[in-house]
Structures are given as structure tokens and as C-alpha cells.
Amino acid sequence: MPPKKYRLKPASANASSSLDMESEDISLETTVRTTDDVSSSDEQRGGSEKVTRQFIERKELLHTIQLLKIDLSQKNLLLDNMKADYMSKVEELEERLNDALHLKQVLALRLDSQLKVAQEDNRKQQSLHKREMEAVLARQQQLEEMNHRLCQSAGEVRTSFRDLDLSQDKYQELRNLPDDKISVQEYVAMRFYEAVTPLRSQVAQLSVKTDSLTEELDTNRTQMRGLMDSYEEERRIRTDLELRCQRLTLELA
């Protein structure tokens, strides 16, 4: 809003008015003096000095009043100018205040809108996290139940596989049955029998062979000890013969 303009009365007009008043006072004084001259010339001569002094004092007083009026007019003009500047600044500050209040309202509305959007997003995120957590907990519970069932199944399998030994007659009996009539334990027992029976035969053969080799080793050890004893005896006899031969050689020499 543009500042209001105040029309001020110029100081020259005030000065002219003051000068007119001074002229009227001087004319009045002159008129008074003329009347006094007509009425009595003696009084004029006797009081001429007094009238002159009063006239000078009055003139000085009027001049001082005129100067004061001019100074007052200038101060009034200065006050009017200051008042106009003050009013202009007040209006400018009011406009700035209104703009600031409007901006504050706009920012408050924008902040409120953003806050609502953020709260809605936060609510959606919390709801999503809650659903994800519930899904994770449900999946964890399913896995725990599955693990429990698997542990039970493993225990049952271990229990059922404790005794897998079959006799040859039982193996022949199970072998003649169709696969859909055989349980898992019986099927595993058959495969275990088929895998272990040849190994058992080999173990039996190796055991017999080991016993034979052990007996042969014992015989060889006995023979070795006899040979060692014979060798020691022959070495002792040979040593004795060498000594006797050396003695005979010395005697013959």
C-alpha cells in the first residue's frame, strides 16, 4: 500500500503573514504618535525619548515574536514531515506484518498437510511391518512344527532300523513278495542282507585264512628259533676250532 501524502503549509506563507502583522503594528504605532502630536506638542517633546524607547522595545519584541513564529512554523513543518514519514513506515510495517502473517498461515497449512501425509505413511509402514512380522512368526511356527515332526520321524526310523539282521529263510520269503507288500524296514533289511552277506562270507574266509597264516607263522617262528640256536652252536664250535687251529700252528712253528 503506498504511503499517504500530507500537504504541508510552506514556511514562506507563515513568514509573509508575520510580516503583515508587523506592518499593521507599525502603522498603528505611527497613528498613535500622530494623534499625540496633534493633541499636545509639549508632551511630545517631553516624552519623545520615552516613546522612542518604547517603540524600539516594541519593535524588538515584535521582531522576536516574528522569529519565534517562523521557528515554530519550521518546527511544525518538521513535525508534519516526521509524522508523514512515521505514518508511511507504520503502513509499510503493517503491510510487512500482514505478509508475514499470511506466509505463516500458508506455512502452517503446508506443515499440517505434510504432517498428515507423514503420519499416513508411518501408519502404512507400521501396518506393513506388522503384517510382515506376523507372516515371519507364522512361518517360524510352521518350521518349528515341521522340525518337531521330522525329529519324531527320525526317532521312529532309528527305532525301526535297530534290528536289520535277517536269516536266509526270512530273506528268501521277503524276496518272493511284491514290493508294495514290503514295509520300509523290511526293504532296508533285505538290502542290508544283500550288502552284508557277501562281506560276511569274505570275512569268514579271511578269518580262516588268517588262522592258517597264524599257525604257519608260529611254525616258521619255531623253525627260526631252532635255526638260530643251531647257528649259534655252529658259530661257537667254529670259534673253538679256529682257536685250536691257531694253537697248533703256534706249536708247530
Side-chain angles (χ1 to χ4, degrees), residues 54-66:
Q54 290 178 352
F55 176 76
I56 293 172
E57 291 177 354
R58 183 178 181 84
K59 187 174 181 180
E60 290 177 353
L61 181 61
L62 291 173
H63 181 68
T64 302
I65 292 173
Q66 185 64 31

Side-chain angles (χ1 to χ4, degrees), residues 12-247:
S12 59
N14 294 331
S16 299
S17 177
S18 300
L19 291 175
D20 292 339
M21 292 176 62
E22 183 179 359
S23 299
E24 291 177 358
D25 293 336
I26 294 172
S27 299
L28 180 60
E29 183 66 23
T30 304
T31 303
V32 172
R33 289 181 58 193
T34 304
T35 305
D36 291 337
D37 290 338
V38 173
S39 62
S40 178
S41 59
D42 294 335
E43 292 179 358
Q44 183 179 3
R45 286 192 299 268
S48 60
E49 294 180 359
K50 183 178 180 180
V51 172
T52 302
R53 186 171 58 255
Q54 290 178 352
F55 176 76
I56 293 172
E57 291 177 354
R58 183 178 181 84
K59 187 174 181 180
E60 290 177 353
L61 181 61
L62 291 173
H63 181 68
T64 302
I65 292 173
Q66 185 64 31
L67 292 176
L68 292 174
K69 288 181 178 180
I70 293 172
D71 184 61
L72 179 61
S73 177
Q74 291 177 351
K75 290 183 178 180
N76 288 331
L77 179 62
L78 180 61
L79 289 175
D80 291 338
N81 291 331
M82 292 176 64
K83 183 178 180 181
D85 293 338
Y86 173 75
M87 295 301 295
S88 176
K89 290 181 179 179
V90 168
E91 291 179 356
E92 182 180 358
L93 291 175
E94 288 179 351
E95 290 181 358
R96 292 174 62 182
L97 178 60
N98 292 330
D99 293 339
L101 292 175
H102 178 68
L103 180 60
K104 179 181 178 181
Q105 292 177 355
V106 172
L107 292 177
L109 293 175
R110 185 181 301 173
L111 179 61
D112 185 63
S113 177
Q114 292 179 354
L115 182 60
K116 289 181 179 179
V117 172
Q119 289 177 350
E120 183 66 20
D121 292 340
N122 188 21
R123 187 185 62 80
K124 291 180 180 179
Q125 290 293 331
Q126 289 181 353
S127 178
L128 178 61
H129 292 164
K130 183 178 180 180
R131 290 195 299 270
E132 291 178 352
M133 184 62 67
E134 290 176 352
V136 169
L137 292 176
R139 181 59 178 170
Q140 182 180 0
Q141 186 176 1
Q142 292 177 358
L143 292 175
E144 289 178 353
E145 293 177 355
M146 184 181 296
N147 186 29
H148 182 67
R149 290 195 299 269
L150 290 175
C151 290
Q152 290 180 348
S153 299
E156 293 175 357
V157 170
R158 285 195 299 269
T159 303
S160 61
F161 289 166
R162 285 178 181 175
D163 188 10
L164 297 177
D165 290 335
L166 294 176
S167 62
Q168 186 175 3
D169 295 337
K170 184 65 175 177
Y171 171 74
Q172 293 297 333
E173 180 183 355
L174 293 175
R175 188 176 182 182
N176 294 327
L177 295 175
D179 293 338
D180 56 351
K181 300 295 183 179
I182 301 174
S183 64
V184 176
Q185 181 181 2
E186 292 173 344
Y187 180 81
V188 173
M190 288 176 60
R191 294 295 176 264
F192 182 76
Y193 179 84
E194 292 174 355
V196 170
T197 300
L199 295 176
R200 285 178 177 175
S201 300
Q202 292 179 5
V203 169
Q205 293 175 2
L206 291 174
S207 178
V208 172
K209 189 174 182 179
T210 300
D211 293 339
S212 175
L213 291 174
T214 301
E215 292 177 358
E216 185 177 356
L217 179 60
D218 292 338
T219 303
N220 290 331
R221 284 177 178 175
T222 302
Q223 292 177 359
M224 179 65 70
R225 282 195 295 271
L227 291 174
M228 290 297 294
D229 293 339
S230 298
Y231 173 75
E232 290 293 334
E233 183 65 24
E234 289 178 359
R235 190 168 65 84
R236 185 180 61 78
I237 294 171
R238 182 179 178 181
T239 302
D240 291 341
L241 291 175
E242 287 178 354
L243 291 174
R244 291 175 65 183
C245 182
Q246 289 177 0
R247 289 175 183 174

